Amino acid sequence: MNPESDLELKYEALTDLLPGIASSETPSQLLTHVFNCMNKYFGLDFLLNYWMEERFPYRLQLIHHRGVTDAEAEALLSLDQGQTICGTVIQSNQNYIGEQIQETSDFHGRILRQMGVQRYACFLLALPGQERPFTLGFGSRTGDRFAPAELEILHLLVSQLVHTFHRIGKMESLERQNAALADTNRFLSSSENRFAAIFAASPHPMLITTLENHEVIEANDAFLLLLGITRRDMELRYGELIRGNELMAQLPDSEESSTVPEGVSREVKFTNHVGEEKVCILRTVRLDFNGELLLLTMISDLTEHKQYEHELQRLSQLHLVGEVAAGIGHEVRNPMTTVRGFLQLMLMQGKNTLEPAYLQVMIEELDRANQIITEFLSLAKDHMVQLKQENLNDLIRKILPLIEADASVTGRIITTHLTPVEPVEMDSKQITQLILNFVRNAVEATGENGWIQLKTYMQDGCTVLVVEDNGPGIPADVIEQIWKPFYTTKDNGSGLGLAICFSIANKHGASVDLSTGKEGTAFYVRFRPN
């Protein structure tokens, strides 16, 4: 081969080799391109790529091959280093150029001779940062010697392949890292989506704010319901409805929350935007979200629990009064009846040293004591109600003359506004006592020329009775006490009237509410449908 043709061949080979080497993305793609070019230009029809096994460093593993049959590849798959030329290259750290292999008796080349290889060149490739070196060998079953141009191209090729393998390894490492990051991102996104779904659907009010100034990041629907606002209200009137609510002022500050890593819990009271008094337990924990410190507030609404607790306390008091009334009521009334009878006899016969007026006062006081005992007995737990289907309007019309007569003596005006209502299960005697107690309280609460109105109507399927007056109203500090037995603001009151009303309503499955102000007071008794 003359120098000009030799130079032209090297130019053509490099022109074909280099673009493919630069564009290869995997080792297999790279070696396929290299093998095709070397076979095309130099007749090298045999390629072996070995590296040391990780678990067994004394053995070599064939990772790429070209130009061999499946049976030959099976025989070459895994060999001891001492059996092969490739192992010798790794051990000696020197490249190998073998020519006229079929005529040699070299022990390490016997496998190549069995495969008919005539010439074989093996090069050591040590990549930066790679602890396991590997070899790349080119051979041919034709031509027993390498031309100088072939060896020059092979050395140049191997030096270039070291950089290319290193680049491909970096790319594969980056791809693995990107795949791991993508998996992590998918996991984090899935976790965030699950948290967002749980946060939004939770029946417990939850709020996420910044730690420093409590700016709201997110609030779930249960929190907005607790505050009595809608999400639209929050978007349009954030400063007034959220920042301006007294609940926000009770969140722990950044210093307090930082001293309690497991969170801060406290009981708070506040008024929401529809005027409801709320009692809640706040639990706040710190969150580190992408380097930003946030505060997660979880709220337990205790308002109904407190109301139930209050109702149970009141029922317990009524139960105690009932037990006392049942135990002593009957025993006390009998001697009182006897004493009253003798006083009446003395008054009728006139055979006594006391003024008749004194005897009359004694009889009236005994009657008053007897009335108090009667009220006690009406609270007794064993006092059964006789329920019958009756119309509330008919009962009011029946007792109205009695109510009007009592009111006219004190100068009060009684009016009614009765609308058609459904019949309810009631004990007419006890409901009569309930109405009379409410009216008697209203008469005592109003001044001269005062008025009391009885109303009935249907609301949400319930029959509603209203006893309304134009008195001065009930002071706020008294409202919570008026239902308790023995509590009274009257000089001669027993403190049992409203307690009896509540007990009667409770036995009928009805609820009692009130509204009061400077214009007067109204008591509402709601009978649930049958």
Side-chain angles (χ1 to χ4, degrees):
M1 185 177 292
N2 60 56
E4 291 184 1
S5 61
D6 192 22
L7 180 63
E8 184 178 352
L9 178 62
K10 289 191 290 185
Y11 176 77
E12 290 179 1
L14 290 174
T15 302
D16 199 359
L17 271 170
L18 295 179
I21 291 174
S23 62
S24 295
E25 296 181 355
T26 65
S28 178
Q29 183 183 1
L30 173 64
L31 292 179
T32 298
H33 171 69
V34 168
F35 174 76
N36 291 337
C37 289
M38 298 306 290
N39 186 25
K40 174 182 177 182
Y41 292 102
F42 303 107
L44 298 176
D45 57 1
F46 186 78
L47 180 147
L48 297 179
N49 180 204
Y50 277 99
W51 72 358
M52 291 193 307
E53 291 188 6
E54 186 172 11
R55 294 180 59 188
F56 307 103
Y58 58 88
R59 294 183 65 83
L60 297 177
Q61 183 177 1
L62 182 67
I63 54 177
H64 295 100
H65 60 81
R66 301 291 185 274
V68 298
T69 64
D70 291 341
E72 291 172 335
E74 185 70 25
L76 295 169
L77 187 60
S78 182
L79 300 171
D80 289 344
Q81 287 190 35
Q83 295 178 316
T84 64
I85 292 174
C86 297
T88 302
V89 168
I90 291 176
Q91 288 176 337
S92 64
N93 197 26
Q94 292 182 354
N95 298 332
Y96 171 86
I97 305 297
E99 298 178 322
Q100 296 180 324
I101 292 176
Q102 293 297 326
E103 300 177 6
T104 65
S105 59
D106 183 7
F107 170 77
H108 299 96
R110 72 189 187 285
I111 298 177
L112 296 177
R113 287 195 295 273
Q114 293 173 2
M115 298 173 63
V117 176
Q118 298 284 348
R119 50 185 174 140
Y120 186 73
C122 184
F123 301 90
L124 180 69
L125 280 77
L127 303 185
Q130 178 62 260
E131 296 181 357
R132 289 190 292 167
F134 64 95
T135 63
L136 183 61
F138 296 92
S140 174
R141 294 179 175 89
T142 61
D144 56 1
R145 292 185 181 277
F146 287 104
E150 290 178 306
L151 293 176
E152 186 178 350
I153 290 295
L154 284 174
H155 282 90
L156 181 63
L157 174 63
V158 168
S159 64
Q160 182 63 37
L161 288 180
V162 170
H163 301 293
T164 305
F165 276 122
H166 183 63
R167 173 182 60 81
I168 292 175
K170 288 288 188 181
M171 292 176 57
E172 290 179 340
S173 177
L174 289 174
E175 288 178 357
R176 288 193 296 269
Q177 292 177 13
N178 288 337
L181 287 174
D183 290 340
T184 302
N185 287 335
R186 281 192 293 270
F187 175 77
L188 291 175
S189 177
S190 176
S191 298
E192 289 179 5
N193 291 337
R194 286 196 295 269
F195 174 78
I198 294 172
F199 180 86
S202 173
H204 299 288
M206 301 175 72
L207 176 71
I208 299 177
T209 60
T210 58
L211 184 64
E212 290 297 329
N213 51 15
H214 294 164
E215 291 291 336
V216 175
I217 303 298
E218 187 57 77
N220 67 355
D221 291 340
F223 178 82
L224 300 182
L225 181 63
L226 178 69
L227 256 61
I229 63 175
T230 65
R231 192 162 293 278
R232 180 67 173 168
D233 292 334
M234 175 183 172
E235 294 171 355
L236 295 179
R237 301 162 58 200
Y238 165 78
E240 174 188 352
L241 298 181
I242 302 295
R243 295 287 297 165
N245 190 273
E246 58 190 271
L247 172 64
M248 300 298 292
Q250 302 185 65
L251 297 180
D253 56 32
S254 57
E255 292 184 1
E256 180 183 3
S257 60
S258 64
T259 58
V260 188
E262 67 274 12
V264 178
S265 295
R266 61 168 57 132
E267 182 175 315
V268 299
K269 296 181 181 180
F270 67 96
T271 304
N272 67 10
H273 292 284
V274 293
E276 297 172 336
E277 296 288 337
K278 294 292 184 179
V279 181
C280 299
I281 291 290
L282 295 188
R283 176 167 175 78
T284 55
V285 294
R286 297 176 65 180
L287 296 178
D288 188 341
F289 186 77
N290 293 333
E292 182 182 7
L293 291 178
L294 303 177
L295 197 66
L296 171 63
T297 301
M298 297 161 285
I299 304 175
S300 298
D301 189 355
L302 301 181
T303 307
E304 288 190 5
H305 175 77
K306 293 291 185 180
Q307 291 174 348
Y308 291 148
E309 194 176 73
H310 178 73
E311 292 298 319
L312 286 174
Q313 183 180 7
R314 182 163 61 178
L315 288 172
S316 177
Q317 291 173 334
L318 290 175
H319 176 77
L320 176 61
V321 173
E323 292 285 350
V324 174
I328 66 174
H330 294 290
E331 299 299 328
V332 172
R333 294 180 74 178
N334 291 335
M336 288 179 60
T337 302
T338 302
V339 172
R340 187 182 188 283
F342 279 110
L343 288 174
Q344 280 187 315
L345 182 62
M346 292 169 62
L347 182 63
M348 293 172 59
Q349 293 179 349
K351 297 178 180 179
N352 61 82
T353 59
L354 296 175
E355 291 290 334
Y358 292 167
L359 294 175
Q360 186 62 41
V361 170
M362 295 169 67
I363 292 173
E364 290 175 357
E365 288 301 307
L366 284 172
D367 289 341
R368 181 171 176 273
N370 189 57
Q371 177 62 31
I372 293 174
I373 292 174
T374 301
E375 291 176 347
F376 264 120
L377 290 176
S378 64
L379 288 174
K381 65 177 183 180
D382 58 348
H383 188 81
M384 302 300 294
V385 292
Q386 304 294 326
L387 298 179
K388 294 182 180 179
Q389 279 267 351
E390 296 195 40
N391 190 285
L392 187 59
N393 289 344
D394 294 341
L395 179 62
I396 293 174
R397 293 188 184 100
K398 181 178 179 181
I399 64 175
L400 185 59
L402 176 62
I403 296 173
E404 290 176 335
D406 289 341
S408 63
V409 174
T410 58
R412 309 312 194 263
I413 300 174
I414 301 291
T415 61
T416 60
H417 181 72
L418 309 179
T419 61
V421 293
E422 296 290 334
V424 295
E425 294 277 347
M426 70 168 72
D427 184 323
S428 59
K429 292 182 179 179
Q430 290 204 12
I431 297 302
T432 297
Q433 184 179 359
L434 177 143
I435 295 173
L436 292 177
N437 281 1
F438 276 133
V439 171
R440 186 179 301 116
N441 282 345
V443 168
E444 294 174 354
T446 56
E448 292 185 6
N449 301 321
W451 55 262
I452 297 97
Q453 185 177 50
L454 278 68
K455 297 190 294 186
T456 58
Y457 56 85
M458 297 296 297
Q459 184 181 58
D460 299 330
C462 296
T463 299
V464 182
L465 165 67
V466 184
V467 181
E468 185 178 8
D469 65 61
N470 65 340
I474 303 173
D477 59 336
V478 174
I479 291 177
E480 290 297 321
Q481 309 294 327
I482 60 175
W483 302 105
K484 294 181 179 180
F486 308 117
Y487 179 84
T488 180
T489 57
K490 304 169 187 175
D491 294 337
N492 297 318
S494 65
L496 294 173
L498 289 179
I500 291 171
C501 291
F502 179 82
S503 176
I504 292 173
N506 186 61
K507 292 174 183 177
H508 285 75
S511 62
V512 180
D513 301 303
L514 69 88
S515 64
T516 186
K518 295 181 180 180
E519 294 78 17
T521 301
F523 286 89
Y524 301 84
V525 183
R526 291 178 171 84
F527 297 89
R528 288 190 289 270
N530 299 327

